[in-house]
Amino acid sequence: VWALPADAAAAPGEPKLFEGHAKPVRALAFTPDGKTLASAGDEGVARLWNVAEGKEARSIAAHAQPVLA
């Protein structure tokens, strides 16, 4: 979610870089347990992220238009 140098190692509690969207992100939401982050935006793809690992868990490309919420 934050722009960090590519060589920055994220320790627990520090910001992590989630890379994957090719266009601007317009919506973010955490699951109640805080383990998964959902993101979506102008490319029409919703992505689910494993917060602990900072890696994409799944992508859902089901929209022809931007996802705003």
Side-chain angles (χ1 to χ4, degrees), residues 1-57:
V1 179
W2 294 269
L4 298 175
D7 61 348
E14 292 187 21
K16 291 186 175 125
L17 178 63
F18 294 83
E19 295 184 271
H21 287 282
K23 295 184 178 179
V25 172
R26 304 291 181 180
L28 294 170
F30 284 95
T31 56
D33 64 8
K35 293 181 179 181
T36 303
L37 173 67
S39 62
D42 287 358
E43 63 191 1
V45 176
R47 299 183 190 279
L48 300 178
W49 304 90
N50 178 312
V51 174
E53 295 179 9
K55 297 191 184 285
E56 183 180 317

